Amino acid sequence: MSDFPKTRDDLLRNIRVLDGGLASELEYLGANINGPLWSAHVLEESPEKIVAVHRAYIEAGAEIIETASYQVSRFGYAEVGLDPAHADAALLGSVTLAREAAAAFPNRRIVIAASLGPYGAALHNGAEYHGNYDCTFTDLVEFHADRVEVLAKARGREAPDLLAFETLPSLAEAEAIGQALAPHPELAAWFAFTCRDELHVAHGELLRQCATAVAAFPQTVAIGVNCTHPALIPALIAELREASDKPIVVYPNSGEGWDAEARRWTGSSDPTAYGINATEWRIAGAQIIGGCCRTRPVHVREVATAASNSPDP
Ligand SMILES: [Zn+2]
C-alpha cells in the first residue's frame, strides 16, 4: 500500500475518535439494509448514502472512519451468486467512498480503516457471536487472505491506511488472520474482539490470550473490543492492558439490547451517558473510542468531547 505512512507507528498517533455504527445510520437515511449482504449492497445501490454517513461521522469528530465493507468477501458474495471480481471491486470501492468523504475535510487528517468482518459475518446467521464455525482452519486463513491480497495490492484512492479486523469471536480466527497477513509485513492492522463477559471473547478464550497472540504480529497497530455491551468495557480494557502495550481501541454497542419476544430494542442509548462512559474508558487506558451497533453521530460527538477533555492514556 503506497499510501501508508512511512512509519507504521505514526499512523495512530494523536488519533482518539473512531466513527460509530454504519448500518443503523444507513437505515435512518432510508437505505434498505435487509438483504443478505447487509450494508454491502448499499455500496452499489446508493453509494452517496455511504458517503453521507462517513461525512456525518467526520463532522461529529471522527478521526478514523471505517469503510462499508464489513460483509464484503468473495465467500459471502459467492453465497448469493456473485463472482469474486464483484466482491473485490466492492471492497476497493468502499475505500474510495471513504476517501471521497474525507476529501471534503482537507484540513483534517482522517485515517481510513477497511472494515473486515469475521467469517461468521459472511454466513449471515449470527455465527460471529459464538464463533463455532463448520469449517477448517485453512478455510479461515483463505477467507481472510482473499481480502488481504486485494487490499495489499491496492494503490492510491483504493488503498486503506489500516485493515480493521473486527467482531472477532475466537483465538483461532485471530490466528488465521495472522497467517493471512504473514506475506505482507508492511501492512497495518488492528484486531477487535467481541466479548461475552468481562474476561472472555465470544467463543470462550480469554481476551488476554487473544490480545497476547495478535500483539506478536508485525502488522498490529492496535488491539481492542467492539460489538460488546458498554458495561463490560472497563474490565476488558484492564485485560488488554495486561496483555500488551499496544494502543487500545474500543467501540462497543449503544447499550441497548434486542428483546426478541417484544420485537424491540430495550435499555439506554443515551448519547450523554455514552460520553460519560467514554471518559471512563479513556481513564482506564483506551486511546481510540468509537461506537458499534446502534451508535450514531451524536454518540461520536460525545466521544469527541470526552477525548478533548481528558488526557491521553
Ligand atoms: Zn456491533
Side-chain angles (χ1 to χ4, degrees), residues 135-222:
C135 74
T136 66
F137 185 77
T138 307
D139 292 336
L140 276 184
V141 175
E142 281 174 12
F143 170 80
H144 288 286
D146 283 347
R147 297 182 303 187
V148 168
E149 294 303 321
V150 170
L151 292 171
K153 286 195 202 94
R155 293 292 178 269
R157 285 164 56 81
E158 292 187 330
D161 299 309
L162 165 75
L163 276 54
F165 295 98
E166 56 192 12
T167 324
L168 298 174
S170 69
L171 178 61
E173 185 146 18
E175 286 176 335
I177 293 166
Q179 287 204 14
L181 284 170
H184 303 284
E186 77 286 2
L187 296 179
W190 83 34
F191 293 80
F193 295 88
T194 177
C195 295
R196 69 182 189 193
D197 59 31
E198 294 179 336
L199 292 174
H200 302 93
V201 300
H203 187 256
E205 296 82 22
L206 287 168
L207 174 65
R208 195 185 292 206
Q209 190 187 3
C210 297
T212 302
V214 301
F217 304 152
Q219 298 88 355
T220 304
V221 292

Side-chain angles (χ1 to χ4, degrees), residues 5 25 40 42 46 51 96 125 128 137 188 213 252 285 304:
E25 208 54 25
V42 185
S46 359
V51 175
T96 307
N125 62 3
E128 66 265 49
F137 185 77

Side-chain angles (χ1 to χ4, degrees), residues 129 167 226-228 251-253 292-294:
Y129 298 111
T167 324
N226 77 301
C227 217
T228 295
Y251 44 123
N253 296 330
C292 199
C293 301
R294 310 252 319 154

